[in-house]
Amino acid sequence: MDIKSFCTGIQHIGIPTDDIEKTISFYTGLGFDVALRTSNGDEQVAFLRLKNLTIETYQNHQAALKPGAIDHIAIDVKDIDALFAQVNAGGYDLLDSQVNSLPFWSNGIRYFTMLGPNAEKIEFCEIL
């Protein structure tokens, strides 16, 4: 069976939270839209969408709130330098003091990383 023939991309990434309003505010500040707010039993749930990336966040009061619970979310971008300047000016908790490079793919990538409200790492990446 060829799994690739069934896959179309990331459906969503789950991020538990202890404060769903803070999490929604953070991601909508980055340009995400709230695609759906609902509940699952006693848990509040929100699906946040930025183009083809969807994050499911759910308030379960069991979030690890430490690096490693989710290593990172990589977001494909263009014009990484302009984006870095905008995010840096926005007062977000950047983990990188500059845009970095790696020799991935044919021509390399450029990226930087920041922390989200639940200590998740968010990577902004441009494939060159």
Side-chain angles (χ1 to χ4, degrees):
M1 173 173 25
D2 183 4
I3 302 247
K4 290 189 298 187
S5 66
F6 293 93
C7 298
T8 61
I10 297 173
Q11 201 277 332
H12 74 266
I13 298 169
I15 301 175
T17 183
D18 289 345
D19 186 339
I20 199 160
E21 297 305 328
K22 179 180 175 184
T23 300
I24 291 169
S25 177
F26 177 85
Y27 282 101
T28 57
L30 290 176
F32 283 73
D33 293 316
V34 177
L36 175 67
R37 283 206 66 173
T38 188
S39 62
N40 182 14
D42 293 336
E43 292 182 1
Q44 294 182 54
V45 179
F47 286 87
L48 311 170
R49 184 169 292 144
L50 178 66
K51 299 197 179 198
N52 68 341
L53 174 61
T54 303
I55 294 172
E56 175 192 23
T57 186
Y58 42 94
Q59 184 171 292
N60 63 4
H61 301 290
Q62 297 176 7
L65 301 177
K66 65 179 187 175
I70 296 175
D71 182 60
H72 71 277
I73 301 163
I75 300 173
D76 186 48
V77 302
K78 55 185 175 183
D79 199 356
I80 191 86
D81 293 307
L83 177 61
F84 180 79
Q86 185 173 356
V87 170
N88 194 28
Y92 292 100
D93 190 1
L94 292 173
L95 296 175
D96 298 305
S97 59
Q98 63 187 20
V99 176
N100 301 298
S101 301
L102 286 170
F104 296 165
W105 304 103
S106 298
N107 298 312
I109 65 165
R110 298 187 69 225
Y111 71 96
F112 67 91
T113 309
M114 62 188 268
L115 278 180
N118 303 296
E120 68 273 17
K121 292 187 283 185
I122 302 153
E123 176 185 298
F124 296 91
C125 182
E126 182 175 20
I127 298 173
L128 304 175

